[in-house]
Amino acid sequence: NLDRLGKREPEIYGRATLADLERALRAEFEARVRLEFFQSNHEGALIDRIAAWADAKVDGLVLNGGALTHTSVALRDALAGAKLPAVEVHLSNLYQREEFRHRSLTAPLCLGVITGLGFEGYHAAVRFLLQRG
C-alpha cells in the first residue's frame, strides 16, 4: 500500500507521498548510482520483479514488503532464489505495532532490517548497500 502514502493512516506513515520519497532518494543518490523504483500491491508482480532483477544482476535491493513481509512464503522464496544483497525497510516501528507484525519471513534473507525511521530508513539502506560495494 505504499502507493497510498500521504493518505493512508498518516498518523503512522506521515503525509509525504511515495513520489516524495522517490524524489528525495534521487536527489541524494542519482549522481552515484542508477535507481529503479517499483511498487505494486500484487504479490506476483513483486515476485516477478525480484526475479527480473536477479536475472539482471542488480547490485542491491531495498525492500518494503508491507504486510507480505509477515505472510508471504512466496515473497520469501523469491528473495532466497534471487540471492540479491537486500535490506528490508519499514516506515513504522513494527515492534510498536500489533504482535503479528513482529515476525518477518523475509528478514532472514536480508543483510539487515531498518524499521521505524520513516523515509530515512530508505536513505540508510541505500547508503549501506553503496558502502559495501
Side-chain angles (χ1 to χ4, degrees):
N1 293 322
L2 289 177
D3 60 323
R4 304 291 299 156
L5 281 177
K7 299 174 186 166
R8 177 181 158 244
E9 299 175 283
E11 67 282 2
I12 295 173
Y13 300 108
R15 300 228 176 261
T17 68
L18 186 58
D20 295 332
L21 174 58
E22 185 175 327
R23 267 192 300 279
L25 290 167
R26 287 192 190 285
E28 182 172 349
F29 297 111
E30 200 156 61
R32 295 170 48 195
V33 66
R34 187 175 77 81
L35 299 173
E36 182 178 335
F37 297 87
F38 181 76
Q39 188 283 327
S40 178
N41 295 325
H42 304 280
E43 182 179 36
L46 296 170
I47 290 164
D48 290 346
R49 186 55 63 108
I50 290 169
W53 283 330
D55 291 345
K57 298 184 181 358
V58 300
D59 295 325
L61 170 65
V62 176
L63 172 72
N64 182 338
L68 294 173
T69 298
H70 319 290
T71 62
S72 178
V73 173
L75 184 60
R76 182 239 171 259
D77 289 351
L79 286 173
K83 295 184 176 22
L84 292 172
V87 176
E88 183 174 306
V89 175
H90 299 280
L91 293 164
S92 65
N93 183 341
L94 300 179
Y95 301 100
Q96 291 179 336
R97 302 193 59 200
E98 305 91 341
E99 183 74 26
F100 71 86
R101 296 185 195 274
H102 297 183
R103 180 157 187 264
S104 168
L105 298 177
T106 51
L109 298 160
C110 295
L111 297 171
V113 177
I114 301 170
T115 181
L117 300 183
F119 282 8
E120 178 53 32
Y122 288 87
H123 290 264
V126 174
R127 278 188 223 108
F128 173 79
L129 289 169
L130 284 171
Q131 67 86 25
R132 67 180 301 279

